[in-house]
Amino acid sequence: MVTTHLRFTLLLAVIGIFSSSSQVRAANVRIKPFSSPFTTNLATLQSQIGYNFTNINLLRRAMTHASFSRENNKALSIFGFHLIETSLSLHLLSKDIDTSSKALTRLIAEVSNVESSCALDGNRLGLERVIRVSPKTDASNSGIVCGGFRAIFGAVATDAGTVDEAIKVFWKVHGAGAGRLVSVL
Ligand SMILES: *[C@@H]1O[C@H](CO)[C@@H](O)[C@H](O)[C@H]1NC(C)=O
């Protein structure tokens, strides 16, 4: 009788050890989402653009294509497109107020061109490996890379509550490898 009781106690002790170790494992698993590849990519992207978000969800959204979820970068991308127009206009007209409307329009069209400029800027940041898309969608599609690139500026401006930061970030990431634009200006 005593031995049976002892065995039972031992069994309970062993079960206790197992369940506490599986709790530890469960706790480790719960930590994982914070270091997912996407989260790591967002951290890398912040250092690449030289801007740390107060609300990282804005960058998360900027890096989410409409094929992935209803919460996506469409509106931020439109905002970003207009911020790029603003950046270029300010830059050109403060350098030369006599800049012709034709020259300004041409420059905006050049930098906004999806194939020849916008997607290249996005590729330089490696956005094709960051942007979340549905399994059937190719994230390296130039329209998707370009949309993500533009959305970054919309996200920065929204986060900062001012367009100045976004314009600064634009010149940092566009100026970095844009031989063509630099020669135009
Ligand atoms: C962003 O945060 C990192 C890590 O805290 C820091 O090293 C870096 O200087 C910050 N960058 C800016 C632009 O504030």
Side-chain angles (χ1 to χ4, degrees):
M1 207 52 191
V2 172
T3 11
T4 313
H5 180 76
L6 187 64
R7 257 190 233 144
F8 186 64
T9 310
L10 274 173
L11 183 65
L12 282 182
V14 169
I15 289 170
I17 289 164
F18 269 105
S19 64
S20 69
S21 74
S22 71
Q23 263 165 16
V24 169
R25 236 176 285 133
N28 283 340
V29 167
R30 224 172 287 136
I31 290 165
K32 257 192 173 166
F34 295 102
S35 57
S36 75
F38 185 60
T39 307
T40 308
N41 288 342
L42 295 185
T44 306
L45 188 55
Q46 284 190 107
S47 74
Q48 282 175 301
I49 66 174
Y51 180 85
N52 291 335
F53 280 79
T54 302
N55 180 4
I56 192 70
N57 286 330
L58 289 166
L59 186 59
R60 181 177 288 271
R61 182 187 276 265
M63 293 297 105
T64 306
H65 183 248
S67 65
F68 185 86
S69 66
R70 279 183 57 188
E71 193 176 285
N72 58 60
N73 66 11
K74 274 164 122 175
L76 287 176
S77 174
I78 293 171
F79 185 16
F81 173 77
H82 291 296
L83 284 166
I84 292 173
E85 283 184 326
T86 302
S87 303
L88 295 169
S89 306
L90 180 64
H91 190 91
L92 212 57
L93 290 176
S94 43
K95 249 186 83 179
D96 178 10
I97 193 62
D98 290 322
T99 301
S100 69
S101 63
K102 208 173 149 193
L104 182 59
T105 305
R106 201 196 59 212
L107 181 65
I108 290 172
E110 229 171 74
V111 175
S112 302
N113 186 289
V114 173
E115 304 290 341
S116 70
S117 181
C118 184
L120 297 184
D121 281 338
N123 288 139
R124 215 165 30 241
L125 292 171
L127 299 189
E128 70 280 9
R129 293 187 299 276
V130 181
I131 299 170
R132 298 188 295 184
V133 296
S134 77
K136 285 181 189 157
T137 309
D138 180 7
S140 64
N141 172 289
S142 53
I144 293 176
V145 173
C146 179
F149 179 71
R150 289 170 176 164
I152 288 174
F153 312 112
V156 169
T158 307
D159 190 65
T162 159
V163 299
D164 294 2
E165 283 294 332
I167 289 177
K168 224 189 288 172
V169 170
F170 171 74
W171 286 112
K172 181 176 159 63
V173 299
H174 179 70
R180 189 144 177 231
L181 174 63
V182 170
S183 70
V184 167
L185 295 180

